[in-house]
Amino acid sequence: MKKTRYSPHPGIPMMQKWVKMLSEKTGRSLAQWVALVKRQAPAETRARREWLQREHGFGTFGAAWIAERAQGRGREHDDPKAYLRAAEGYVEAMYSGGRSGLRPLYEALLELALSLGKDVKACPGKTQVALYRQHVFANIRPRTRTRIDLGLALGNQKTPKRLLDTGGYAKKDRITRAIPITSLRDIDAATKRWLLKAYALDGAS
C-alpha cells in the first residue's frame, strides 16, 4: 500500500472488539451472520436490518453493520488497510466537482495540522477530516464551494468574533468553534495560534 498521510480511525479497535465478541455472545461469527443474512433475509439493506432486529434481537447498530457487510460494504470499519484505502477516496470525493477549488486550502490546513506534532492523526470521513491527538481536537470540513471550516475543540472559552460558535458546547460535542477559511490568506498567524491552542488543550486533558 502506498504511503499515506492519514492514520487508521481510532474507532477501528472498538469495532474489532465487537466482531470478536459477536461470536461469544451470539454463537455465530460475523462471517456466519453474513452468510445467514444472504441465505434467509430479504435482499434490500433496510429490510435486512429490520429482519436482524426482529428475528434475532440485534440493536440498531449491530443490525446495520451486519446488513452492510452482507451487501459487500463496511470493511473499512474494522480493517485498518481497508479504512486507509477508503480514506483517500473520501478526501477525493469531498474536494471534487464544484469544491475542487478548495483543495489547496485543505492541503495547507492538513499540512499545518500535521506539523504540530508527531502524535497528530488525520482520519478522513465522508464529510470531514478529523484531527486527533488523544481525542478530536480539530476538523477540516468543506462547507460550501468557496469555504472550508476549521473546527476547533476549545470548550467554552471566550474567543474573538472571527471564531464562529458551532453550538457544540451546548450539545456536548468536542468541536465548539470554527474558523471560516476562504483563501490562503485566512490561514494566518491567528489561525495557527488557535489550532495550536486546541492541540495543546487536548494534550493537557
Side-chain angles (χ1 to χ4, degrees):
M1 187 172 178
K2 69 177 184 179
K3 186 176 180 181
T4 177
R5 297 168 296 175
Y6 306 121
S7 298
H9 196 280
I12 289 175
M14 180 182 69
M15 186 62 73
Q16 290 172 332
K17 182 179 179 180
W18 182 84
V19 171
K20 182 179 179 181
M21 293 179 65
L22 184 64
S23 181
E24 299 171 4
K25 287 186 173 183
T26 68
R28 288 190 178 98
S29 67
L30 175 60
Q32 289 171 328
W33 277 111
V34 168
L36 183 69
V37 167
K38 289 181 176 180
R39 189 168 63 249
Q40 296 186 9
E44 196 267 327
T45 303
R46 179 177 178 180
R48 285 177 166 179
R49 292 198 303 265
E50 293 172 349
W51 179 83
L52 284 161
Q53 291 176 288
R54 182 179 64 253
E55 300 295 330
H56 297 282
F58 276 96
T60 302
F61 172 81
W65 203 68
I66 292 173
E68 185 179 30
R69 287 296 287 268
Q71 298 297 109
R73 303 189 300 268
R75 294 283 310 189
E76 67 275 12
H77 298 312
D78 70 310
D79 183 333
K81 289 184 179 180
Y83 170 78
L84 290 174
R85 286 192 295 270
E88 298 285 351
Y90 295 155
V91 173
E92 291 301 320
M94 267 189 279
Y95 296 99
S96 63
R99 291 180 173 175
S100 59
L102 294 173
R103 189 62 184 259
L105 303 182
Y106 166 73
E107 294 293 342
L109 288 168
L110 179 63
E111 182 179 353
L112 174 61
L114 293 175
S115 74
L116 297 178
K118 292 182 179 180
D119 56 349
V120 175
K121 299 177 180 67
C123 302
K126 293 182 179 180
T127 62
Q128 65 176 351
V129 174
L131 301 168
Y132 289 84
R133 193 178 188 188
Q134 297 180 43
H135 313 89
V136 174
F137 69 89
N139 63 26
I140 305 170
R141 182 194 296 266
R143 283 294 185 185
T144 70
R145 293 187 175 193
T146 59
R147 169 182 154 191
I148 288 177
D149 277 0
L150 175 62
L152 301 169
L154 293 172
N156 197 34
Q157 63 181 280
K158 188 175 181 180
T159 56
K161 290 183 178 180
R162 181 187 176 193
L163 276 69
L164 306 178
D165 186 341
T166 66
Y169 185 78
K171 295 182 289 185
K172 301 187 185 304
D173 290 341
R174 290 281 303 167
I175 302 301
T176 60
R177 299 289 186 273
I179 301 177
I181 304 293
T182 59
S183 73
L184 290 173
R185 292 189 301 274
D186 292 329
I187 309 174
D188 55 14
T191 296
K192 296 173 184 177
R193 185 168 63 251
W194 283 110
L195 180 59
L196 182 59
K197 176 72 170 178
Y199 169 80
L201 283 172
D202 192 41
S205 61

